Amino acid sequence: MSAGIAAIFKKKFGGVQELLNQHKKTGDVAILKRETRYIYYLISKNKYFHKPTYDNLRKSLEAMKIHCLNNAVTHISMPKIGCGLDRLDWKKVSTMLEEVFEDTNIHITVYTL
C-alpha cells in the first residue's frame, strides 16, 4: 500500500492495522467501514512486489460481491483495478467485472486518475 491508488486510499482512509487484523489471504477481500461506506481492498497477490493473477483477482471480486450482496451495497466506484502498476489488461479485467456482477443489481462506476 505504498504506491498507486493504494497509497492514496491509505492516506485518506487509514486503517492499515485494522486491515492486517483481518488476516485475509490471497483471493479474499479486506474491508474497512467508514460511516455508511465500505472500502474494499482486494487481496490479489501474496506480496506487494508480486503481480496479481487474473484468477486471484476474480476470487477477490467474488468475495467483494458476496459482501456487497450481504450488506445491501448497490453502487461501487473503483479505479481500473490491477491495470496501473500491476499491468493487467483492462479489457480482460472489465470483462471479468461484468461476468462477476452480471447476476446482481450492483452498479459499478470506473474512474481514471
Side-chain angles (χ1 to χ4, degrees), residues 92-106:
K92 291 180 183 177
V93 174
S94 178
T95 298
M96 186 184 303
L97 280 166
E98 290 174 10
E99 291 170 357
V100 169
F101 288 92
E102 71 183 342
D103 62 342
T104 73
N105 290 322
I106 298 169

Side-chain angles (χ1 to χ4, degrees), residues 27-72:
D28 288 340
V29 62
I31 304 159
L32 295 178
K33 184 162 187 186
R34 298 293 184 261
E35 298 176 19
T36 60
R37 288 180 167 174
Y38 293 103
I39 297 91
Y40 295 106
Y41 288 83
L42 303 178
I43 315 299
S44 59
K45 52 192 176 182
N46 292 324
K47 302 284 184 186
Y48 74 92
F49 53 86
H50 290 166
K51 297 298 179 196
T53 65
Y54 290 102
D55 185 53
N56 286 337
L57 179 59
R58 180 179 291 276
K59 288 175 185 174
S60 294
L61 288 170
E62 292 283 358
M64 181 172 70
K65 177 178 102 170
I66 291 167
H67 184 273
C68 289
L69 293 173
N70 290 337
N71 291 276

Side-chain angles (χ1 to χ4, degrees), residues 62-92:
E62 292 283 358
M64 181 172 70
K65 177 178 102 170
I66 291 167
H67 184 273
C68 289
L69 293 173
N70 290 337
N71 291 276
V73 174
T74 58
H75 289 81
I76 298 172
S77 296
M78 66 172 60
K80 288 184 173 182
I81 55 173
C83 298
L85 298 172
D86 286 331
R87 301 187 190 259
L88 295 180
D89 182 301
W90 174 244
K91 286 185 180 184
K92 291 180 183 177

